[in-house]
Amino acid sequence: MLKRGYALAAACLAAAVAVTAFTPNAPSAFVSNPNARNALFGGSAPSTHELSMSTVAEPDTSASTSSTPTALEDYVKGRGGNLPIKKVLIANNGMAATKSILSMRQWAYMELGDERAIQFVAMATAEDLKANAEFVRLADTFVEVPAGKNLNNYANVDVITKVAKEQGVDAVWPGWGHASENPKLPNTLKEMGIKFIGPPGPVMSVLGDKIAANILAQTAGVSSIPWSGSYGGPDDGPLQAELTEEGTIPDDTFEQATCRNVEEAVEAAKKIGYENGIMIKASEGGGGKGIRFVDNEEDLKNAYVQVSNEVVGSPIFLMQLCKNARHIEVQIVGDEHGNAVALNGRDCSTQRRFQKIFEEGPPVIVPPETFRQMERAAQRLTQSIGYVGAGTVEYLFNADTGNYFFLELNPRLQVEHPVTEGITGTNLPSTQLQVAMGIPLYNIPAVRKLYGKADVYGTDPIDFLEEEYAPIGSHVIAARITAENPDEGFKPTSGSIERIKFQSTSDVWGYFSVGANGGIHEFADSQFGHLFAKGPTREAARKALVLALKEIEVRGEIRTTVEYLVQLLETKEFKENTIDTSWLDGLIKEKSVYVEKPEHDVVLGAAILKAYEHIKEETAAVVESFEKGQVSTAGIPGITSFNLEIAYKDTKYPFHVELTAPDVYRFTINGNSIDVPVTVTAEGGLVAVFGGETHRIDGRDEPLGLRLSLDGVTILMPTIFDPSELRTDVTGKVVRYLQDSGADVEEGTPYVEVEAMKMIMPIKATESGKITHAMSPGTVISAGDLLASLELKDPSKVKKILNFDGALDVSAAEIETDGKTAVANILAGYNGDAEAAAQAAFADVSDLESASSTVIEALNEYLRVETIFDGKLKDDVVRQLAKDNTASLETVIDINRAHQAGDVRNKLVLALLRQVETFSDRFGEGALPEDVLAVLEQLSALEGREYGEITIAAGEIIRQAKVPAFEIRVADLRKQLLDPETDFVALSKSKTLSAGVDLLVDLFSDEDAKVRAAAAEIYVRRVYRAHRIIDLNVADVDGIIACNWSFRFADVPEDQSVVRNGILSVVPEGTALDSALPKILDDFGGKLGDADAASDNPVNVVHLALVGASDDVAGNEKAITAEERKLNMLGVRTVNTIIPVAKKDPSYYAFPQCDGYKEDPLRRNMRPTFHHLLELGRLDQNFVLERLPAVGRNVQVYIGSEKSSKPMRTGPPQVLFVRGISVSPGLVSMAGAERALVQGLDELERAQANSKVNTQASSRIFLHSLPELEGTAEEVADKFSSVMDTLKSRLADRLLKLRVDEIEVKVRIESTDDSGNPIITPVRLVASSMEGEWLKTAAFIEKPDPVTGVTREFCVL
């Protein structure tokens, strides 16, 4: 026997919250002393309590005197009692034992100030100990009793009395069920001198037996329903009883009312009639056990056997079903002094298979006067036979007629008694205890308070038959929490319980018979919890109970009815209180109340749970291999990328699962993907976001399949078994097969009876065929065991399992992940879009310092992993990592996962390096910070072949980064311009001048006239390098530079080409444009002949460098438009302004003639010839263009909406254009082409993140290569086709993702015309999907218009 200690006073108040589900500040669960401040549903209990560890001890005979006996003895004596009870044996388990200890311990503290005034001894079986039963923890001591059925322990009178004697207890509390109604127990205890807390044996014999109680009621003239005892009395009327000297009914009268075998039951049923249905009852049954409903003789024969097996040895009787009846109870308590009090009652009409589901009080369906009659009848009945203790008189009440009939009297406390406590304020277990101590009912303070006595500690008598108790001003509804499966006809389930989550409130409290890491064993009652909701009205209590049930969470192997109860409470019938005892069974039969979740939500929820379990199991397996010294890492990829299959409703769903972050699962099925963030709660459950909602997920694999809990709703997803196999879904034992082995069985008919949770239940065949038994009667079975096999009657009718071939009906919401997090996830080895992550990481970066920090952090993380492996054997690395991380081997998995994801990590690093290349363009600073260069040096030092591209790219950036400061570069360029050996024409075409074009503008105002002139000349030659300059002249008058030149399009034959003229004039600082412009135009006109100026199509250009000016676009536009007439006369096509900015690129503005010389925002900050070279005029004709930011110096990005005269409901289609100029001669080489295309894709990636771009916009890339190429057009076209075939393969993922449907490359081939004059042949190389084939290549020779330069003819190569 183990002995358990408790803390002192505060612990008893915390008894109500001692159950796992309770919280420290929850209200007291049970009623208290009438004068105490915290009563039922009110007050708060201390938040802490202690429980000392137990040790093996001998029976403690001193316990009854160890805790202030004087207080108890004085109380008993003062209240008129005669027996202080100091030590009680709890001859029960589960809910009964838990509730009794909590209530009596609370009473002892509240009334006596000492929660240890009474010591409690519990009986515990091995199953209860294994299940971590709560009552064992609550008791002071416990004695282990034989395991198995209750006949071995709690229903075994010999065991109970033996324990009672050995432990030296003063009294035994029997609870309900088990031996609570066995007269042998009180009779034996009386002989032993031990008090039984309940009625005397003879009274129990009469009233406790349902048969005897009905005979007694008939004898007393109480109306009874037709039953097997309604015949055989005087004139074959109701049986009458004349009690024996012992106060019992004569055996022969008793036997006349019973049905001792099937034959007698059939005869009795014929007399009663099947019209309304018949109940077969075991008189010793209860709690839904030993009772069946039948409406025909065949069912009666089977049901009789089931009832006799369920309550072995009990007499059986038959009773007509009372239709449209309500089950109404009156709570009575009698004392040793002949008093009997009725403590209101309960309505228990919500039943299934005669097992109560909800109980409520007061029974408002019964008119008050009628209910008072029922109370008085119950009091007289119990008083007349000297009833002592708590009991329940049960009636059937017809709300339509107002008639009521005696049903039975239960001579014990019932599980739903807290309903009565809630409405009357009476602590019933403590009332039982005080009655057993000999205290008269009218001296019990709680009873006196109920009857409105001012002095609750007075001793004046109360006439309970005449006086009325105080009006009931509240309503309580109780819900039983059971381990049953509502989807399978409420079959009991057993198994472990990991956790019960329940939050008591001021309106709802509850208690549970199991704690954390406990369980429900196969010999236990299925009920393990009870919730009680209180409100001023029935509706208020109902709503409070609904909310509480929605919040309760039970995790473990069992099934519960919680979600089903919520649906019942929300039905119209329950709300309107129009139910009867057959209501719920009707709902179950019709399956009209059920809890259903969307099918695809269930499938995805199951996939999430399975994926989580897979990751956990695979991780554990790899860790275990490391612990054994193994170095294989082959299992690591399977942790983050794997396939799984979900079967639901005859459909298989094959998923591929990838982790894109530690907490983001990507589920792909039939090419459609859904990303789901998943969080593991502290309790081990999952919280997932999908379909725009947050979902709670839990579950476990069982022998018959997956039991999933989704948002509190339980769904069984069966494993796909062979239909010829008949398996059990319950744990218990086989009672009998209903057909011989080899006989035929029909689908839906019972083929076997099994015993589970003390109940006999049939299991039905799922298919038709010839049965072969797989077990023998008496065999212990577990869920999933094969009970029988079938030779299928019609194999073709068996359902076929089909593969799902569509898209899940679950909306896929985009997960918002910042760029740095996306980069970190990829570097950690999770799958992701490397290019998009690199772009996003710099999306909001506006300064070099922040950009450098971002790239350094990412590259250092890459190096942290790769330097561990670089140049070493993998097995050696893994072995050393395992040795260094013995306490956290998951770290070894993390490092190896990252290293194994080398492809995507390397792709990410290359994308980051391309971002570094743009720093100078983005931030206007040429030199990279030293810490960036340092990490690049580490990258370039990696030795492995897998790092080849990275080391080359890092090395190239390092070389390019060694660019001097702006001032030094300007000085170097100035020195070069002053060098007499410098070839200005060659310099203007040099690749090295690409970034220096804008430096030339800074020299327009140099103090040296020679430098100013050289800068202007080279600027013009560079900007117009795609043209053929005929002559060029630079004049410097009074420090003001004016460069005049004439030129032609280089790709138009000379005999067709129009001569064009241009002027670049530098306007000195401090000179207003409106005052300088007239003279500049006059000078320009003076240099033009009449033919050059007069033209139907303006072809000349004016460039104005405004030194020291601000970006006053409006002012400059006003000055230019004021000269519109003169500009038109001079044939000026475009006026361009250049505004130098210190140490930065200049600002460019264009004022085209076609717009009346107003500024064109599309050309802003674009070098003067870009508009022509990028063919923006052609785009502008077909699209409404909006310019988007671009990073590259020679790149422009536009979003275009197709121009259409027809209105479109969803708006015109969008196209994203990336158009760039290349000064590299290697554009059609493999390396050059890939580099240029990747840069274009980077710009697209960045642009598609813009909110203005819709997700369906297609993308087109145009590159104009300025360097002249040698060779023929055909050779270039062939080379392009070959290069594109390779690039389409290498970059297919990005091209498809970015929806690139056209790539154009314009190249210039150097050749001669028919007269031998040099000419540039423009060739357009195209890869387009417009004709159906993806990026099909083609090539064209262009023939541009001599005046506009726009291609007017394409010749296919």
Side-chain angles (χ1 to χ4, degrees):
M1 183 186 75
L2 300 184
K3 190 164 187 173
R4 305 210 169 198
Y6 269 78
L8 296 175
C12 195
L13 281 178
V17 295
V19 185
T20 307
F22 293 169
T23 56
N25 295 319
S28 176
F30 309 107
V31 295
S32 62
N33 179 288
N35 289 342
R37 284 175 295 176
N38 67 320
L40 182 65
F41 301 102
S44 60
S47 62
T48 59
H49 62 272
E50 298 177 359
L51 176 64
S52 63
M53 295 301 294
S54 59
T55 56
V56 177
E58 294 299 321
D60 183 6
T61 58
S62 65
S64 62
T65 60
S66 64
S67 55
T68 322
T70 303
L72 178 61
E73 290 174 351
D74 288 348
Y75 176 83
V76 174
K77 183 177 180 181
R79 297 284 87 214
N82 53 33
L83 178 65
I85 295 175
K86 303 172 185 177
K87 191 172 185 179
V88 177
L89 172 66
I90 306 298
N92 214 303
N93 65 344
M95 298 291 293
T98 301
K99 175 60 166 63
S100 65
I101 297 174
L102 289 173
S103 290
M104 287 188 271
R105 199 179 288 283
Q106 185 198 34
W107 171 82
Y109 180 76
M110 299 303 296
E111 193 63 63
L112 308 175
D114 180 9
E115 86 286 357
R116 300 210 50 187
I118 302 168
Q119 299 294 293
F120 296 98
V121 179
M123 297 166 56
T125 66
E127 293 89 356
D128 287 322
L129 295 173
K130 182 180 178 182
N132 195 25
E134 185 71 5
F135 75 90
V136 179
R137 185 186 68 82
L138 290 172
D140 295 284
T141 62
F142 74 84
V143 177
E144 186 168 349
V145 293
K149 287 186 170 184
N150 67 348
L151 290 176
N152 299 337
N153 37 71
Y154 303 109
N156 190 310
V157 173
D158 294 336
V159 170
I160 295 170
T161 54
K162 180 175 183 292
V163 172
K165 181 178 179 181
E166 290 177 348
Q167 296 304 310
V169 302
D170 299 321
V172 173
W173 186 84
W176 49 83
H178 299 310
S180 63
E181 298 182 52
N182 187 341
K184 182 182 175 182
L185 180 58
N187 291 338
T188 305
L189 290 173
K190 183 178 180 180
E191 294 172 1
M192 298 170 63
I194 298 173
K195 190 71 174 181
F196 177 75
I197 302 179
V203 174
M204 180 183 288
S205 178
V206 175
L207 292 181
D209 185 273
K210 296 175 176 62
I211 296 172
N214 271 278
I215 295 173
L216 186 62
Q218 290 178 164
T219 304
V222 179
S223 177
S224 296
I225 301 170
W227 66 298
S228 53
S230 294
Y231 312 95
D235 300 323
D236 200 27
L239 291 170
Q240 304 292 308
E242 297 198 6
L243 301 182
T244 65
E245 292 181 1
E246 293 79 18
T248 63
I249 293 175
D251 289 345
D252 58 340
T253 303
F254 185 89
E255 289 294 325
Q256 279 185 273
T258 64
C259 300
R260 289 164 290 192
N261 51 51
V262 172
E263 290 74 19
E264 289 186 3
V266 170
E267 287 302 315
K270 289 178 179 177
K271 291 182 179 180
I272 297 170
Y274 290 103
E275 294 79 11
N276 293 327
I278 291 177
M279 311 302 304
I280 306 175
K281 291 188 174 185
S283 64
E284 295 175 6
K289 300 173 184 64
I291 185 169
R292 291 291 188 279
F293 167 79
V294 297
D295 57 9
N296 61 75
E297 187 174 308
E298 189 63 32
D299 287 349
L300 183 144
K301 293 177 181 178
N302 285 327
Y304 184 92
V305 175
Q306 292 174 3
V307 169
S308 60
N309 285 332
E310 210 161 77
V311 187
V312 178
S314 171
I316 295 174
F317 67 102
L318 269 58
M319 178 176 284
Q320 186 184 82
L321 176 68
C322 181
K323 290 190 173 181
N324 304 318
R326 302 289 288 250
H327 181 114
I328 306 298
E329 300 178 347
V330 174
Q331 178 68 60
I332 55 99
V333 182
D335 64 18
E336 297 176 356
H337 308 282
N339 301 300
V341 64
L343 301 176
N344 202 264
R346 300 176 290 266
D347 185 342
C348 304
S349 301
T350 308
Q351 304 178 5
R352 55 109 196 126
R353 288 208 315 265
F354 313 104
Q355 172 70 49
K356 300 165 187 173
I357 300 296
F358 298 128
E359 306 99 349
E360 57 181 298
V364 294
I365 192 66
V366 185
E369 184 55 38
T370 303
F371 187 70
R372 187 62 181 144
Q373 294 173 17
M374 296 166 77
E375 288 182 309
R376 291 292 183 263
Q379 288 173 274
R380 285 192 296 269
L381 181 62
T382 54
Q383 260 184 330
S384 66
I385 56 171
Y387 187 90
V388 178
T392 303
V393 176
E394 299 183 359
Y395 296 96
L396 292 177
F397 172 74
N398 189 309
D400 295 332
T401 65
N403 296 327
Y404 61 90
F405 304 94
F406 175 80
L407 182 62
E408 61 184 6
L409 191 154
N410 285 308
R412 54 175 169 79
L413 201 60
Q414 303 216 130
V415 67
E416 63 268 23
H417 72 270
V419 171
T420 298
E421 293 180 328
I423 60 177
T424 65
T426 306
N427 181 330
L428 284 173
S430 73
T431 299
Q432 286 182 293
L433 180 67
Q434 292 175 79
V435 167
M437 292 179 183
I439 298 173
L441 282 167
Y442 54 76
N443 281 354
I444 295 176
V447 175
R448 294 183 63 82
K449 182 180 181 183
L450 177 64
Y451 274 79
K453 300 301 179 181
D455 182 5
V456 296
Y457 289 101
T459 57
D460 53 305
I462 300 173
D463 187 342
F464 294 113
L465 284 171
E466 296 297 332
E467 296 187 41
E468 303 280 350
Y469 51 73
I472 303 298
S474 60
H475 198 95
V476 173
I477 304 179
R480 299 189 184 196
I481 309 301
T482 59
E484 297 174 325
N485 182 357
D487 297 332
E488 296 292 332
F490 289 83
K491 284 183 180 177
T493 64
S494 60
S496 66
I497 295 177
E498 297 172 9
R499 185 175 184 272
I500 300 174
K501 179 183 177 183
F502 170 69
Q503 177 70 52
S504 291
T505 69
S506 59
D507 297 323
V508 183
W509 60 270
Y511 70 106
F512 298 83
S513 63
V514 293
N517 301 314
I520 306 294
H521 56 79
E522 60 267 35
F523 302 109
D525 189 89
S526 63
Q527 184 180 356
F528 66 94
H530 219 160
L531 265 57
F532 301 86
K534 185 173 183 178
T537 64
R538 183 177 186 272
E539 179 62 8
R542 185 193 69 82
K543 288 180 177 178
L545 186 56
V546 168
L547 291 175
L549 287 168
K550 285 183 176 181
E551 291 301 317
I552 195 171
E553 182 180 338
V554 181
R555 296 186 61 222
E557 295 175 345
I558 64 168
R559 284 290 307 273
T560 75
T561 55
V562 171
E563 58 264 29
Y564 190 86
L565 299 183
V566 172
Q567 300 300 313
L568 287 181
L569 287 167
E570 294 284 22
T571 59
K572 178 182 177 183
E573 293 85 354
F574 190 90
K575 289 179 180 179
E576 297 178 353
N577 203 15
T578 58
I579 61 175
D580 59 36
T581 53
S582 63
W583 170 68
L584 180 53
D585 282 326
L587 294 182
I588 295 172
K589 184 177 181 180
E590 297 170 4
K591 295 185 177 181
S592 57
V593 173
Y594 55 90
V595 182
E596 189 171 23
K597 299 291 288 183
E599 188 171 317
H600 289 177
D601 282 9
V602 173
V603 170
L604 187 55
I608 292 166
L609 180 64
K610 285 280 194 181
Y612 170 74
E613 293 294 341
H614 170 93
I615 293 165
K616 190 165 66 171
E617 291 167 7
E618 292 299 307
T619 300
V622 176
V623 167
E624 184 180 3
S625 73
F626 289 157
E627 290 172 341
K628 295 177 179 178
Q630 298 170 359
V631 295
S632 172
T633 59
I636 294 177
I639 296 175
T640 56
S641 180
F642 51 91
N643 296 321
L644 64 80
E645 188 175 83
I646 300 298
Y648 187 52
K649 293 187 176 180
D650 305 324
T651 303
K652 288 181 183 178
Y653 296 81
F655 287 97
H656 178 68
V657 186
E658 276 189 309
L659 266 65
T660 61
D663 58 350
V664 178
Y665 299 10
R666 175 169 292 163
F667 294 90
T668 302
I669 183 168
N670 300 326
N672 301 298
S673 296
I674 297 176
D675 287 349
V676 181
V678 179
T679 303
V680 183
T681 66
E683 296 81 24
L686 304 179
V687 175
V689 180
F690 60 86
E693 296 178 340
T694 299
H695 301 272
R696 292 178 294 113
I697 300 172
D698 198 3
R700 64 179 59 244
D701 280 309
E702 296 179 343
L704 292 179
L706 173 68
R707 179 157 59 83
L708 175 71
S709 174
L710 179 63
D711 300 326
V713 176
T714 302
I715 304 104
L716 181 63
M717 308 179 73
T719 303
I720 300 173
F721 282 122
D722 184 337
S724 66
E725 296 177 343
L726 300 177
R727 297 180 178 270
T728 175
D729 57 352
V730 298
T731 296
K733 75 172 184 179
V734 176
V735 176
R736 62 170 181 154
Y737 284 96
L738 303 179
Q739 291 89 11
D740 293 334
S741 192
D744 289 333
V745 62
E746 294 296 322
E747 178 185 356
T749 60
Y751 70 93
V752 68
E753 288 179 353
V754 299
E755 180 182 356
M757 311 288 285
K758 303 186 289 185
M759 294 185 69
I760 304 298
M761 60 184 63
I763 297 179
K764 298 177 180 179
T766 54
E767 296 290 342
S768 300
K770 189 172 291 185
I771 192 168
T772 301
H773 301 165
M775 300 278 188
S776 57
T779 304
V780 175
I781 56 175
S782 298
D785 285 351
L786 181 69
L787 297 181
S789 57
L790 285 177
E791 181 182 327
L792 295 176
K793 185 176 181 180
D794 185 359
S796 66
K797 290 185 178 180
V798 177
K799 293 179 180 177
K800 294 181 172 58
I801 308 301
L802 303 175
N803 279 333
F804 181 70
D805 58 3
L808 290 182
D809 185 18
V810 178
S811 60
E814 186 175 345
I815 299 175
E816 293 186 6
T817 304
D818 64 271
K820 285 190 176 182
T821 302
V823 167
N825 288 336
I826 293 172
L827 289 173
Y830 298 103
N831 191 29
D833 190 328
E835 284 81 7
Q839 295 286 352
F842 295 92
D844 299 322
V845 175
S846 58
D847 60 272
L848 181 60
E849 183 179 353
S850 299
S852 299
S853 174
T854 298
V855 77
I856 289 170
E857 182 180 349
L859 296 182
N860 276 333
E861 172 58 23
Y862 175 83
L863 288 164
R864 181 186 71 84
V865 172
E866 300 309 323
T867 52
I868 296 174
F869 292 89
D870 191 25
K872 305 182 184 74
L873 291 174
K874 182 185 76 71
D875 286 0
D876 292 343
V877 172
V878 175
R879 191 175 292 109
Q880 187 61 44
L881 284 171
K883 182 178 179 181
D884 295 342
N885 297 275
T886 53
S888 57
L889 289 170
E890 288 82 1
T891 302
V892 184
I893 294 177
D894 293 341
I895 293 173
N896 277 276
R897 179 182 61 242
H899 178 64
Q900 289 175 345
D903 287 347
V904 68
R905 278 163 52 90
N906 290 351
K907 190 180 292 185
L908 173 66
V909 170
L910 288 169
L912 290 171
L913 293 179
R914 293 199 302 274
Q915 293 294 322
V916 174
E917 291 176 336
T918 70
F919 281 7
S920 60
D921 289 339
R922 283 186 171 191
F923 310 117
E925 299 181 36
L928 288 174
E930 288 299 322
D931 47 1
V932 175
L933 290 172
V935 75
L936 292 175
E937 291 283 2
Q938 294 180 61
L939 281 179
S940 65
L942 291 172
E943 299 175 358
R945 291 180 59 188
E946 63 269 33
Y947 310 119
E949 283 190 80
I950 291 174
T951 57
I952 292 171
E956 181 63 25
I957 294 173
I958 292 170
R959 285 188 291 275
Q960 293 177 1
K962 295 177 180 178
V963 175
F966 183 87
E967 295 85 350
I968 297 174
R969 286 185 289 136
V970 170
D972 287 345
L973 181 58
R974 185 176 186 276
K975 183 178 180 181
Q976 196 173 7
L977 298 183
L978 290 171
D979 187 348
E981 300 296 324
T982 299
D983 183 339
F984 286 1
V985 175
L987 179 58
S988 69
K989 295 182 178 181
S990 171
K991 179 183 176 182
T992 60
L993 189 61
S994 178
V997 175
D998 298 316
L999 295 178
L1000 291 168
V1001 176
D1002 197 66
L1003 296 174
F1004 285 175
S1005 56
D1006 191 86
E1007 60 185 13
D1008 190 321
K1010 188 175 180 181
V1011 172
R1012 295 197 298 271
E1017 179 178 344
I1018 296 174
Y1019 175 84
V1020 170
R1021 291 186 180 279
R1022 178 67 178 197
V1023 170
Y1024 285 86
R1025 63 165 296 176
H1027 301 71
R1028 183 173 294 110
I1029 295 178
I1030 302 170
D1031 65 76
L1032 183 146
N1033 176 266
V1034 181
D1036 190 332
V1037 180
D1038 299 329
I1040 300 176
I1041 292 293
C1043 179
N1044 291 273
W1045 74 98
S1046 58
F1047 62 101
R1048 290 190 176 99
F1049 285 137
D1051 48 8
V1052 177
E1054 188 171 330
D1055 58 350
Q1056 301 175 23
S1057 181
V1058 175
V1059 175
R1060 303 158 186 272
N1061 294 279
I1063 183 173
L1064 167 63
S1065 183
V1066 178
V1067 179
E1069 186 172 359
T1071 302
L1073 179 60
D1074 56 358
S1075 62
L1077 185 56
K1079 184 176 185 308
I1080 293 172
L1081 295 180
D1082 288 342
D1083 291 344
F1084 184 44
K1087 299 192 183 306
L1088 295 179
D1090 292 338
D1092 294 326
S1095 174
D1096 294 334
N1097 292 293
V1099 294
N1100 300 322
V1101 292
V1102 173
H1103 297 264
L1104 304 170
L1106 310 179
V1107 178
S1110 63
D1111 283 353
D1112 181 10
V1113 179
N1116 293 337
E1117 183 181 278
K1118 183 178 180 181
I1120 294 169
T1121 55
E1123 303 295 331
E1124 180 178 4
R1125 181 171 174 276
K1126 188 179 294 185
L1127 290 168
N1128 279 321
M1129 288 177 60
L1130 295 173
V1132 175
R1133 188 176 188 84
T1134 308
V1135 177
N1136 297 282
T1137 62
I1138 311 161
I1139 302 177
V1141 180
K1143 298 183 179 181
K1144 290 187 178 181
D1145 295 342
S1147 299
Y1148 293 97
Y1149 300 94
F1151 304 82
Q1153 184 267 348
C1154 59
D1155 292 335
Y1157 299 108
K1158 292 181 179 179
E1159 195 254 342
D1160 182 359
L1162 282 180
R1163 306 190 197 190
R1164 187 173 295 177
N1165 290 325
M1166 185 188 300
R1167 289 178 189 166
T1169 55
F1170 272 24
H1171 183 268
H1172 172 71
L1173 296 175
L1174 296 178
E1175 300 182 359
L1176 297 180
R1178 182 162 62 97
L1179 281 187
D1180 198 29
Q1181 290 177 2
N1182 301 308
F1183 295 90
V1184 177
L1185 297 176
E1186 180 179 356
R1187 189 170 165 186
L1188 299 180
V1191 170
R1193 188 189 304 270
N1194 295 332
V1195 177
Q1196 301 293 325
V1197 180
Y1198 297 90
I1199 180 173
S1201 300
E1202 255 185 72
K1203 291 180 179 179
S1204 175
S1205 58
K1206 297 180 181 179
M1208 299 182 184
R1209 185 167 54 182
T1210 58
Q1214 277 189 349
V1215 181
L1216 199 57
F1217 297 100
V1218 171
R1219 307 182 81 77
I1221 293 172
S1222 173
V1223 295
S1224 170
L1227 188 61
V1228 292
S1229 69
M1230 180 59 68
E1234 182 170 11
R1235 181 177 180 81
L1237 183 54
V1238 167
Q1239 288 174 341
L1241 294 175
D1242 285 346
E1243 293 286 1
L1244 275 178
E1245 193 95 49
R1246 191 178 300 109
Q1248 290 203 351
N1250 193 305
S1251 60
K1252 296 178 180 179
V1253 180
N1254 69 45
T1255 56
Q1256 302 302 317
S1258 62
S1259 304
R1260 299 175 191 176
I1261 296 174
F1262 172 81
L1263 296 173
H1264 192 154
S1265 177
L1266 297 185
E1268 292 79 11
L1269 305 179
E1270 295 181 352
T1272 66
E1274 288 77 7
E1275 291 171 344
V1276 172
D1278 289 343
K1279 181 68 174 175
F1280 173 75
S1281 180
S1282 173
V1283 167
M1284 276 307 303
D1285 285 345
T1286 302
L1287 293 182
K1288 283 196 298 184
S1289 175
R1290 288 185 185 177
L1291 302 174
D1293 288 344
R1294 288 196 81 190
L1295 289 166
L1296 290 169
K1297 186 190 79 167
L1298 297 173
R1299 299 179 296 282
V1300 177
D1301 58 20
E1302 190 168 80
I1303 298 170
E1304 292 182 276
V1305 179
K1306 187 172 182 176
V1307 296
R1308 300 152 54 83
I1309 299 177
E1310 200 168 35
S1311 62
T1312 57
D1313 62 15
D1314 296 338
S1315 303
N1317 299 313
I1319 189 173
I1320 300 298
T1321 301
V1323 176
R1324 188 174 298 264
L1325 308 169
V1326 180
S1328 176
S1329 305
M1330 299 304 179
E1331 295 181 2
E1333 183 180 338
W1334 185 55
L1335 295 181
K1336 180 181 179 181
T1337 57
F1340 307 87
I1341 293 178
E1342 298 186 1
K1343 297 203 178 288
D1345 184 280
V1347 177
T1348 63
V1350 176
T1351 303
R1352 64 184 181 187
E1353 187 178 346
F1354 295 90
C1355 300
V1356 180
L1357 281 173

